[in-house]
Amino acid sequence: MNHMFTLLRSGLLLCAFVLAQKYATAVTYTAIANGNYNSAATWQGGIAPSYGLVNDAIVIPPGIKVTAGANISITGVTGSITINGDLVATNYALHVSDAAMLGNGSIIVDSFSGSFPGQFDFNGTMSTNKLEIDFMMIMGNPTIDVAQVFYVSKSLNLNNGKINLTNGTVMKISGIQGNTVPAYLTVGGAGVLGLLAPYSVEYVGGSIESGVELNGPGLKNVTVDVGTGEEVKLMGNAKLQGGTLKLTSGTFNLNNHNLEFSASGDLDPSGSGEIKGGSSSDITVSSGSAITGELKFTTGSNLVRKFIINTNGSVKLGSDLRITTMVDFQSGKIDVQNHKLSLITGATINGAGSGSYVITGNGGKLADDVGSGDTVTYHVGTQTTYAPCIITSRSNTVYNGLTVGVNDGVKNTGSTGNIISNVQPLVNATWFLENGTATTIDVDVELMWNAGMEVNSFDRTKSYITQLTGAMWDKQAGKAATTSGNMYAMKRENVHSFTPMAVFDNTTVYVNNITGNNSVQLYPNPASNILFVRSNSAADIAIYNTSGRLMLSQKLDHSNNGIDITALPQGIYYLRIIGQELNATGKFLKN
């Protein structure tokens, strides 16, 4: 036992001796004249410090300016740097780790990094391009101007002093993979984070909660690149003022806060990141022009309270979106592309009209509920034209999630086939309606259009809504369209199923109808030069190609029943004959 005690005592004495020797050799370097850091004449005793000091001290008194020509490093718990004069290392770095930092002088460096688990009592000014600091508490009252990058890689509490981001500074904030952690950057007490000048924020490395960095009036660009499965969780509203939100990877979680694009704020089109919405979050696009990217939401969290549009262009959706309260059109359009914009029960659309509506595109949809006996206007249109659809419930039934979309053009079979709107008189649009959750349908449908959508001498005084039945557009009695401002409307009552719809007039002819009736007697068939039509009365003859294009027309009577088809290219043609006693169609082959 005595032997062990002797060994232990000897060990302790040895450690004490080593520590004493270590600290006994610590040196304080005091500048006595303006000059270079590595010049002996600059320092008391004529010995210049090295650029890497461990547990040593540097003192620059008032009125003394020291200029460094290399990076400076001061580390160790007994080390320190006291600057009451000036330290200038314009193109070099100053690194202080575990050592104390004191004084009220001036520091100008290219970059500064510091780790201060204990005392940070610097009261002077610092100008640096790049800043990275880690401290538990600031004892002093420094003013630090950052010109290029402010790195925040560990929790930072700015309780005293001021850090100014000057014009164009980027705050680069690193999160932690697999964890949602509290905000790294907090400001309290007498601390000030100067965010008046234009600056940007980049989130990298892993999940993180936002702090005061997204609340500054100078905020421009925000980049989220935290990685797949990671997120940036908003702890306050975010406002992009003339800058760009770039969702490179991960999720931008609104966390029931608001996101606003203003003063030409934009959304970068690149990246795979998504927005996680919330039932209390509003998204406002008030940027003056169309945003470049698509608003893409996470599955299951693709909802917002209000969607406010005030732009001269359109806002694109890159996913489905649900609205809990309102779509507020102040100016501009929403382009859902091939996605669905849904109004949850009770949600409304405000301010829609000829300049503000939902562009549904190819496969896009606007979904809404139609209550018992209610009439609901679906404010939809194409890229260029407002073409709303009005649905009225007839059966005291609530229809949840009925959807409407509208595309330019009319095809033989709705979404496929020849484009008959190129040659036939009709309204140049096809409306696509779907049941939503309803198993039976009993509604009235009213379609609206403007004069610019009428093509090929369409006659709105003899028009009707046609509905695709199987592979055929059905025929209805024509009547005059009603007028509402600069829009025209036609209603079809007692609709019991939803298939594509269009607006024709009594003279619209399309291949499906022509091929459905072969009652005209034509000879010879095939024909090369003259085609004869057996008819006992005067009639109008029209010949169409397989695309529905009118190729030839003429008057016919019993004394002149031959048609010169010499100029027609070889192929299959359809003939329609209309007279007082005859209304029929036929098909022939031109050799």
Side-chain angles (χ1 to χ4, degrees), residues 360-501:
T360 51
N362 187 15
K365 307 169 187 177
L366 173 62
D368 200 355
D369 299 336
V370 180
S372 174
D374 285 349
T375 296
V376 175
T377 299
Y378 287 73
H379 295 282
V380 296
T382 68
Q383 288 287 345
T384 58
T385 308
Y386 180 49
C389 171
I390 303 170
I391 298 178
T392 301
S393 169
R394 296 176 55 90
S395 58
N396 295 323
T397 301
V398 175
Y399 300 100
N400 290 320
L402 296 187
T403 70
V404 177
V406 59
N407 291 349
D408 286 318
V410 181
K411 297 181 179 179
N412 269 354
T413 56
S415 58
T416 60
N418 294 320
I419 303 175
I420 62 176
S421 51
N422 288 341
V423 294
Q424 293 298 319
L426 45 78
V427 174
N428 190 28
T430 303
W431 285 263
F432 296 87
L433 287 68
E434 294 182 3
N435 295 13
T437 60
T439 56
T440 60
I441 295 293
D442 185 10
V443 298
D444 294 339
V445 176
E446 186 174 4
L447 305 180
M448 300 186 71
W449 69 93
N450 61 40
M453 299 173 66
E454 299 172 351
V455 296
N456 304 312
S457 302
F458 170 78
D459 186 355
R460 74 175 74 99
T461 67
K462 300 176 182 179
S463 59
Y464 63 93
I465 293 178
T466 178
Q467 188 169 6
L468 197 67
T469 303
M472 300 283 294
W473 291 104
D474 65 7
K475 181 78 173 179
Q476 301 286 311
K479 60 182 178 179
T482 58
T483 303
S484 178
N486 65 344
M487 303 287 290
Y488 302 99
M490 179 58 60
K491 179 182 287 188
R492 179 163 175 159
E493 299 179 341
N494 299 300
V495 175
H496 296 292
S497 64
F498 281 164
T499 60
M501 294 184 177

Side-chain angles (χ1 to χ4, degrees), residues 116-131:
F116 303 97
Q119 185 177 15
F120 182 81
D121 200 10
F122 182 64
N123 290 279
T125 62
M126 180 187 299
S127 178
T128 181
N129 289 324
K130 295 175 279 290
L131 175 68

Side-chain angles (χ1 to χ4, degrees), residues 260-273:
E260 180 177 354
F261 299 88
S262 67
S264 299
D266 202 358
L267 180 66
D268 191 287
S270 63
S272 61

Side-chain angles (χ1 to χ4, degrees), residues 182 210 256 273 309 322 352 375 377 497 570:
S210 73
N256 287 321
I309 308 299
R322 296 173 291 152
T375 296
T377 299
S497 64
Q570 292 181 349

Side-chain angles (χ1 to χ4, degrees), residues 517-522 533-541 556-558 561 575-586:
N517 186 341
N518 194 29
S519 61
V520 175
Q521 295 184 31
L522 308 175
V533 181
R534 191 180 301 280
S535 174
N536 295 321
S537 63
D540 292 320
I541 294 292
L556 187 73
D557 58 43
H558 67 280
N561 64 343
L575 179 145
R576 184 171 185 179
I577 180 170
I578 301 176
Q580 291 184 348
E581 300 177 3
L582 184 63
N583 187 343
T585 59

Side-chain angles (χ1 to χ4, degrees), residues 43 45 58 88 105 177 206 231 235-236 363 367 417 438 480 497 525 571:
W43 303 96
I58 288 179
V88 179
Q177 289 283 340
E231 70 171 23
M235 304 307 292
S497 64
N525 191 0

